[in-house]
Structures are given as structure tokens and as C-alpha cells.
Amino acid sequence: MTADAFDAFKQGLAAGGVAFEEVASNGLDPARVLRVNPEHWGQFAFEAKRRELRHAGLWADDGGGATFTIRALFEKQGRYLLAQADVEKGRPSLPSQSVHFPGADRLERHTRDLYGIVFTDHPDPRRWTRHQGWDDDEFPLRKDFPAAGFAHDRTPADHLYKFTAAHGSGVYEIPVGPIHAGVIEPGHFRFLAVGETVLNLEERLGYVHKGIEKIAEGRDADGLARLAARVSGDTTVGHAYAACVAMEKAAALAVPPRAVWLRAVMAERERVANHLGDIGAILNDVAFTFGFYQFSRLREQWQRASQSVFGHRFMMDRIVPGGVAVDIDQSQRQQMSADIHALRREMKTLMAIYDDAPSVEDRLVTTGHLDPTRARELGTLGYVARASGVDIDVRRDAPYPPYDRLAVKVPVYRYGDVAARLRVRAEEIAVSCELLEQLLERLPDGPVRASWRPPAAAEGLAIIEGWRGELMAYVRFDADGRIARYFPRDPSVFNWPALEHLIHDNIVPDFPVCNKSVNGSYSGSDL
Amino acid sequence: MLRILGKIQRIGVITEAAPTDLEPALTQIGARVKARVGELFAGSLAIRQVDAGSCNGCELEIQALANPYYGVERFGVHFVASPRHADMLLVTGPVSRHMEEALRRAYDCTPNPKLVLAVGECGATGGEFGVNYASCGAVANVIPVDGVVRGCPPTPLDLLRGILEAIDGAGVKPR
Ligand code: SF4
């Protein structure tokens, strides 16, 4: 959205009867901020949809006054727009945006469960994040709700949730989870099947909700970075990165160039590690164990290198407010370059073997198909989007340092099946290798951490490309320089609904491989 | 087909000698695990892993136990899908309130005698999350625990060591 398009959008809003005003806020850059009349919140979404904006997140905030603030982030062509509306605490309600953007459905239900804000025409009245851990008249993210909650002996199972039911002969239900058969995160899947074919899949998440947004409150910057690093273990770099950038924007703190580049080195390393693991796991799910062992071998080597260079196999807690916690020396730089070289060679050999295995191809091609229109409509992100023809990548479209100095290639496929999601990952490994080479070669000299000064009553927004896709973090500091609000939006939030669609008409036994090809984070969505 | 055979031959077996000095203890610990599993569990220790609220970091390291570097099945340790088949529960996470009942049920379903190992800082103490409206904190706050493996996340080697200590120290009677 160019400046002209933004003006046109504003004119469209006015013509559509939406009352709004533009407000300035430095920490929220690169987003432009519009304050919208809450009654026109749904109409705003309608106009956004009409102009082909993408919904990129929704969250609320309790500033302690008489109102709650709701915010929604939109994007088009790398330009971001943040809409906000204030609703009275006495009767907190406003129209829903998920009518126009189905991907926002769970974020609205999450907001309703945790703030008691009602989205009046929301199509789904069922709770989402709340199971039986607190009562329906308790709202944990309101400031008057204590972080410890209220006394509970034991939390019962949530067996009264109403799943979509089907009638008719031959239709049966398969409940799966929350504890799954493998070593993976917990969640519930409810299948409706006829014979082996999946008619419908409904996801029920929220099992690993552990109060991240609430316990962020009152922390200092270091404490928030540690918490962010544990939002989703596989994205420890990504979430810490976003949280730190958001805090630094709020504090108007300049991070030393070397630290900025080292952060990107870690982010690319995290992408490679996860993609290697995922490709191996996808191949394992179709019984191509050779592939599983080879890719998990590469992943292990990569993690060991992270341990030797950054002191942690996942580089957890290495991104800190003001910079990074570790520096690298010349020999480590050379070692990493040698590793990249070796990985490239290995990838070439292994992908040639993969291309040569028709039995694997037979299992992955056309399996779990997500068509480009649906991918766009749901606002999917990362490799899920890019395998279904949606050409987006924050590193290229809204480049933040150091990516503003690098050329990022974005692999895109249109087939939308498991094979395409695997292929995108493989090519992204190659792109990351190229980026890593450049990052290491052009790594600036100098310090790696600026000293942190807590800002008073300030806010910051960060949007980066995590390994799963666009990842955002919003941070607000109170007058004492403590965290008053932290909201991390993992890309999984927009990718989980895609799984419900792409599994249609596949056979039940192909669910694991379809699920793996999306690999949504439970922890990162449940918070 | 020729490519795949060529690759298999060139890589060879990588499990036996852990190639870097990062894990010098792997084979020793593994041998002890194997001996104890042989004595106490008739050669096969069945583990049911339960993620009761973790950030998934711990799971990734538990999964790594299956990669060719560690290959713990060769020591007689394997992961099973049902708690009814398990000798040991490997539980991660601060226990979220929403997983509390599922964890209790998995525990109840596991036949006696059973071992419970709480994994990670979160499993051991509640970690960064502690006890709050949505989290019960440490695994021991919800079910009886026989041992803990610290670390955030614990490395695969830490996990193997923790499993060994648990079966060593728990005084499980040979069957
Ligand atoms: S111990 Fe660390 S890695 Fe494990 S669940 Fe807790 S935060 Fe995640």
C-alpha cells in the first residue's frame, strides 16, 4: 500500500461512513495508526477487505482507565496499518471483524475469554482459550484480576465443549488428544469421517495456555526477553527478537550494528534448524526413514554448532534488550561458513534422492491441498502461504535492519500440497544459507549491546519474519518502566485454521503428515 | 535408487562414536542405561512422554533422542503411545491448568510400579511460568514425581542421564 493507496483507503473509509482519525505514535512505526469509532469496527474491516488488506492480528489492552483498547493490524504490500478503538468497560462490545476475516476468529474469541469484550455479530459464540481453568465471569487480562487467579482445588476436564456434529449413516467421530501419540504438544482434534475419508476436522486448542500475557505484566525488560524466549521453544530466537525490537522501539534505543547483524544470523540459523527437522519429520510420516535419519542428522549437527558458537543448542536467551548476549570471533565465523558450505552440498544430494523416490512423491503430491484463494482468505503466513501462491515475506516486503541491506529471495509454489510445503522449506534453507554467508562476510565491527534504559509510558511494535512466517510483538511500558502489556502473535495463529481446510477429503492416516507440513505451534497460539 | 544406496554407504553408521567431544559420555551412559534396563525392565524401558504445558523446547530435545546420534532405542529405551504400556512417564512443562486432568488420567492409567520423571526447569520448578491462574507450576504439584531433569531445555545427554538416575535410584523391583 503506497502513500497514495493509503490515502485512497482513508477516502474509502470516509465514504463508507467510518469515523476515524489518524494518530501519531513513534513506537508503532512502521504501522500507521487510525483511531476508529468502535461502532464502525466491523465496517472498517469490510473496507479493509474490499481493498484487499490482510488481517495480521488483533489484541486488547487494559490501560487501567475507563476503557479497553482493541487493536487490529492490517497489511498490504509491506505497509502496515494499525486500527484501534476504545470501548467502555461497563459495556465492552463492538462488532466482529472475523465476519470479513475468518482468520481473526480465534483472536477475537481469545480476547473475549480473557477480557470479557463481546464481539457482537461474531459467528461462533463458543469459548476458545478458556476451558475450565477459570469461570466465565472472570477475565484474567483485566487489571483487577490477580495473576494468581482464584483458589481452585483441581481443574476438571473440559468435556462440555460443543463440537460440530454430523448425522447420517456411516459418519463417525474420531476424538484425538489432548495427549497425542507422539512426542508432540497437546491439543484436541475432532474428526468426522466416512470410511477413511475426513469429512470435517475441528481443532480445539488452549490446552497449553499458561498465562504468558498476564505474567509478562510488571516485568523488567530482561524478564520479558526471557519470557518471550519461552513463548514457543522452536521459535525462541524469533519471539525474543520481536519482543526486544518492540521494547527498543518503545525506548527509542539504538542497537549496535553488530548486534543487529548477529540477531539475523541467529534468526536464519533457527529457520534452517526447524526446516531440517520438519523435512525429516514429514518424510518419517510417510515411512521414508532414510530421509528422517538424514535430515535429523543434519539438524543435530546444526544444533551442536549453535551450542559451540552461541552456547545454546537453540540459542535461547542470546537475544537481549539492547543487543545480543554473545559475540563471535573469527574462528567461529570461519567454522560457520564451513558448515554452511557443507550443508549446501548435503541438501543437494538429499534433495536429488528425494526427487528420485516416486513412492515418496506419490504420498506427498496432492496430499493436504490448500488452494491459493483459501490461503489468502485465511491470512496464512510463512511457508504455508508461500506453498499456496501467496508471495509474502517480511524480510523482503517490509525490510527491517539488517535485511534492508540484503536481497532476500522468496520461493513461492502454487500447488499448495504437502510436497509444495516441503519444497518451499528446502529452498528456504538455501536462501538462508546465502543470507548467512552475507551476514557473516559483512558483519560490522563494534560492541554487541547498548545499555538498556527503561522508557516511561511508551509502546512499541515489532514485525519480523520468524521461521514460520510473519511474527509480531506489541509491548507497552507503564509509567515506572515496567511491562504493562505484552502480546506476541505467532504466525501459527493464522496457519492453524488452514489445517482444518486442507485435510478435507484426505484419508485419516494422512493427517499426521498434513499436520506436520503445517507444523503450527500450540504453545505459541495458546499463550 | 543408486543415489540412496551411495549416500547410505558414504555416511555409514554414525551412532556408535559420537563424533564430537561435546558428548564424550554418551556411550558410557548408554551402556549403563542398557545394563540397568536389562536388569530391571527385562531389556525394555517403555516411556510415555506427556507434554503438560511446555513451550515445546523440551519436546524437541526428547525427539532428538531418536536421531541417529543418540538412537536411544539401542539402549532398550523406547517411546510408547499409551500410558497403559509405559514403565515411565516423562513429563514436561509447568502443568497448565487445562492439562491438569489429562495428566492425572495419564498417571492413573500407567500400571504400577511406575516412574515419573519431571523434565526441564518448568517440570522441576515451574520455571519462568511458576504458579498462576493458568499454571499449576511443577509437575510434583499435580502427580508424585520420582526424579527431575533440570535444564532449559535439558540436552539429550542430560535426559539420558536423568533416565538412568531415575531407574537407578528408584528401587524398582525386578520383575
Ligand atoms: S524448561 Fe525451558 S524448554 Fe522446557 S518447557 Fe520450560 S521453558 Fe520450555
Side-chain angles (χ1 to χ4, degrees):
Chain A
M1 199 166 41
T2 57
D4 288 350
F6 183 67
D7 288 338
F9 177 63
K10 286 200 293 187
Q11 279 164 20
L13 285 177
V18 177
F20 67 92
E21 55 175 341
E22 187 160 2
V23 287
S25 178
N26 296 332
L28 301 179
D29 166 81
R32 299 182 65 168
V33 185
L34 295 183
R35 179 177 314 174
V36 180
N37 180 335
E39 284 170 28
H40 302 155
W41 190 245
Q43 182 69 20
F44 182 92
F46 173 77
E47 293 293 337
K49 172 93 183 173
R50 215 158 60 92
R51 305 251 165 197
E52 295 179 333
L53 275 65
R54 173 173 63 84
H55 207 296
L58 179 140
W59 68 100
D61 194 0
D62 180 355
T67 56
F68 295 121
T69 305
I70 323 280
R71 288 194 152 122
L73 186 67
F74 296 88
E75 182 266 358
K76 188 174 180 182
Q77 294 162 353
R79 307 293 177 109
Y80 287 89
L81 177 64
L82 189 64
Q84 64 181 58
D86 295 328
V87 293
E88 296 293 330
K89 280 187 180 172
R91 266 190 65 243
S93 71
L94 73 173
S96 164
Q97 295 191 334
S98 31
V99 184
H100 309 293
F101 293 99
D105 167 271
R106 291 167 185 179
L107 289 170
E108 289 190 344
R109 288 159 73 191
H110 177 80
T111 305
R112 189 187 54 206
D113 289 353
L114 289 147
Y115 282 94
I117 294 167
V118 179
F119 295 88
T120 45
D121 51 348
H122 193 288
D124 192 341
R126 296 172 302 172
R127 60 186 188 277
W128 178 248
T129 306
R130 183 172 69 82
H131 290 198
Q132 301 291 331
W134 63 95
D135 290 336
D136 60 356
D137 57 353
E138 295 173 350
F139 303 109
L141 285 180
R142 291 190 179 182
K143 292 290 184 205
D144 56 8
F145 183 94
F150 299 104
H152 282 275
D153 288 346
R154 251 169 108 127
T155 306
D158 189 34
H159 62 282
L160 293 175
Y161 187 80
K162 278 197 104 55
F163 287 96
T164 306
H167 307 282
S169 66
V171 185
Y172 63 101
E173 281 190 20
I174 313 172
V176 179
I179 301 178
H180 294 148
V183 181
I184 55 167
E185 297 184 86
H188 186 94
F189 300 115
R190 185 65 60 101
F191 296 92
L192 298 177
V194 173
E196 289 231 292
T197 309
V198 178
L199 272 190
N200 193 58
L201 163 66
E202 206 179 337
E203 297 158 0
R204 173 81 174 118
L205 305 182
Y207 285 92
V208 289
H209 174 70
K210 43 193 174 284
I212 288 174
E213 292 163 276
K214 188 72 179 181
I215 60 172
E217 292 174 11
R219 287 184 178 232
D220 62 11
D222 285 336
L224 184 71
R226 272 200 314 279
L227 184 63
R230 287 156 182 81
V231 165
S232 177
D234 53 32
T235 316
T236 177
V237 169
H239 278 289
Y241 192 163
C244 287
V245 169
M247 290 193 281
E248 287 147 5
K249 280 200 195 160
L253 180 72
V255 175
R258 189 175 176 85
V260 169
W261 286 61
L262 283 173
R263 284 176 172 184
V265 169
M266 291 188 231
E268 296 308 325
R269 290 192 65 89
E270 179 168 87
R271 191 181 322 277
V272 170
N274 282 300
H275 283 355
L276 288 172
D278 277 1
I279 295 175
I282 290 171
L283 296 176
N284 195 40
D285 279 342
V286 292
F288 190 54
T289 42
F290 166 82
F292 168 65
Y293 285 119
Q294 292 294 337
F295 282 98
S296 66
R297 171 178 70 87
L298 296 179
R299 178 184 157 92
E300 176 69 22
Q301 287 174 348
W302 195 252
Q303 278 192 278
R304 288 182 182 207
S306 295
Q307 167 76 45
S308 91
V309 176
F310 294 98
H312 192 285
R313 285 164 58 89
F314 296 87
M315 299 166 286
M316 191 178 258
D317 298 328
R318 284 353 186 221
I319 293 185
V320 290
V324 293
V326 279
D327 200 356
I328 62 171
D329 62 26
Q330 191 52 32
S331 72
Q332 288 169 321
R333 213 154 125 175
Q334 278 162 0
Q335 185 55 48
M336 276 197 278
S337 301
D339 289 348
I340 293 160
H341 190 69
L343 178 65
R344 275 226 177 97
R345 235 187 15 242
E346 295 266 12
M347 283 299 295
K348 230 172 127 186
T349 320
L350 291 177
M351 289 311 286
I353 291 171
Y354 166 80
D355 286 334
D356 217 17
S359 62
V360 177
E361 188 182 40
D362 184 50
R363 290 295 307 280
L364 302 183
V365 172
T366 73
T367 304
H369 177 253
L370 179 72
D371 82 76
T373 319
R374 187 54 61 85
R376 228 172 258 285
E377 181 183 284
L378 294 173
T380 54
L381 298 168
Y383 48 79
V384 175
R386 292 191 281 270
S388 288
V390 184
D391 187 7
I392 47 169
D393 190 315
V394 187
R395 293 173 299 172
R396 180 201 58 196
D397 303 337
Y400 44 98
Y403 296 99
D404 52 351
R405 311 270 300 279
L406 300 161
V408 182
K409 285 189 214 121
V410 181
V412 178
Y413 282 83
R414 305 197 50 250
Y415 313 113
D417 51 11
V418 175
R421 289 189 282 280
L422 187 149
R423 181 77 58 192
V424 167
R425 283 176 170 95
E427 291 187 13
E428 285 183 17
I429 291 174
V431 173
S432 286
C433 284
E434 268 173 46
L435 288 170
L436 279 166
E437 270 171 353
Q438 292 201 43
L439 287 164
L440 292 171
E441 205 177 287
R442 293 162 55 191
L443 189 66
D445 291 326
V448 295
R449 191 170 185 183
S451 63
W452 172 255
R453 287 171 274 104
E459 55 188 354
L461 178 74
I463 302 162
I464 65 163
E465 185 75 16
W467 75 271
R468 277 194 183 88
E470 179 201 68
L471 186 161
M472 66 142 276
Y474 169 80
V475 170
R476 181 169 64 82
F477 287 91
D478 66 15
D480 301 325
R482 296 260 156 190
I483 302 296
R485 179 74 172 114
Y486 167 54
F487 176 69
R489 202 273 293 132
D490 193 88
S492 308
V493 170
F494 286 99
N495 285 348
W496 272 117
L499 181 62
E500 291 183 338
H501 291 276
L502 62 83
I503 194 66
H504 271 192
D505 288 336
N506 283 260
I507 55 172
V508 177
D510 272 348
F511 177 69
V513 72
C514 290
N515 188 17
K516 201 49 173 174
S517 75
V518 174
N519 193 9
S521 164
Y522 300 69
S523 182
S525 317
D526 293 351
L527 301 179
Chain B
M1 202 60 205
L2 280 177
R3 284 204 194 114
I4 194 170
L5 292 175
K7 185 75 184 171
I8 291 170
Q9 205 214 348
R10 267 194 308 281
I11 299 286
V13 176
I14 59 165
T15 33
E16 224 56 69
T20 74
D21 54 5
L22 282 177
E23 315 280 5
L26 176 67
T27 34
Q28 283 138 278
I29 294 180
R32 284 177 55 205
V33 169
K34 189 168 181 175
R36 295 297 281 159
V37 167
E39 278 165 46
L40 297 169
F41 296 92
S44 145
L45 175 72
I47 300 181
R48 171 65 246 202
Q49 195 271 338
V50 179
D51 175 340
S54 121
C55 81
N56 194 33
C58 284
E59 274 61 36
L60 294 174
E61 291 297 60
I62 295 170
Q63 285 168 7
L65 288 172
N67 79 36
Y69 278 82
Y70 304 99
V72 292
E73 294 218 348
R74 70 197 154 123
F75 305 131
V77 176
H78 57 266
F79 289 85
V80 293
S82 168
R84 295 188 197 280
H85 303 156
D87 303 302
M88 176 188 276
L89 292 181
L90 202 60
V91 187
T92 62
V95 181
S96 69
R97 297 211 187 266
H98 294 167
M99 278 302 288
E100 185 182 345
E101 186 58 26
L103 175 61
R104 286 184 200 277
R105 288 184 192 172
Y107 178 80
D108 291 342
C109 287
T110 311
N112 284 313
K114 56 191 158 197
L115 288 171
V116 176
L117 200 52
V119 171
E121 286 308 307
C122 295
T125 69
E128 203 59 39
F129 306 98
V131 177
N132 66 52
Y133 78 94
S135 164
C136 307
V139 176
N141 293 347
V142 179
I143 56 171
V145 163
D146 299 290
V148 297
V149 190
R150 306 293 289 259
C152 184
T155 62
L157 192 65
D158 294 335
L159 287 162
L160 199 58
R161 204 180 283 124
I163 291 169
L164 176 64
E165 280 168 15
I167 55 179
D168 252 349
V172 180
K173 295 262 177 322
R175 318 168 198 190

